[in-house]
Amino acid sequence: PSNSSSFNFILVLIPSLLVLHPSALPILFQEELMNKEATEGEAVTLHCKLSKSAPVEWKKGSMVLKPSEKYKIEQEGPFAELMIQDLDLADA
């Protein structure tokens, strides 16, 4: 029997849009963010793909996540990724 626990993560990725022209196409998710199951103390990576490159924010509830020892945030073009280090129950 293992003493570690598994839990699901549900984080919301919200594209930040600056509409410069009324005819600009909206930014859509090409690949939706998927729930991940992970073990306490380990790391988990969440990712998604947008229809075109745009700045994104990762949020947990109303709190905007910033790069730190805990959160690694990367974006290359339309691909956005969040890695959460050293998981604990508060990260669920």
Side-chain angles (χ1 to χ4, degrees):
S2 173
N3 289 336
S4 62
S5 58
S6 294
F7 42 92
N8 289 326
F9 288 86
I10 299 174
L11 295 178
V12 177
L13 178 70
I14 299 174
S16 301
L17 301 178
L18 176 60
V19 178
L20 300 176
H21 191 274
S23 66
L25 294 175
I27 297 169
L28 305 171
F29 288 104
Q30 296 288 71
E31 289 178 19
E32 294 280 342
L33 187 66
M34 302 292 288
N35 289 343
K36 295 275 183 146
E37 196 167 292
T39 303
E40 193 169 0
E42 294 184 352
V44 68
T45 301
L46 302 165
H47 60 86
C48 69
K49 180 183 176 189
L50 305 175
S51 56
K52 61 183 176 180
S53 183
V56 299
E57 284 185 332
W58 290 92
K59 289 185 169 187
K60 182 175 190 295
S62 62
M63 182 180 77
V64 176
L65 304 180
K66 301 291 183 188
S68 65
E69 289 297 313
K70 178 82 173 170
Y71 304 112
K72 305 294 182 196
I73 298 172
E74 294 186 6
Q75 184 172 358
E76 188 172 325
F79 299 95
E81 186 174 271
L82 169 69
M83 178 183 282
I84 305 172
Q85 311 276 359
D86 192 24
L87 294 167
D88 58 46
L89 289 176
D91 294 316

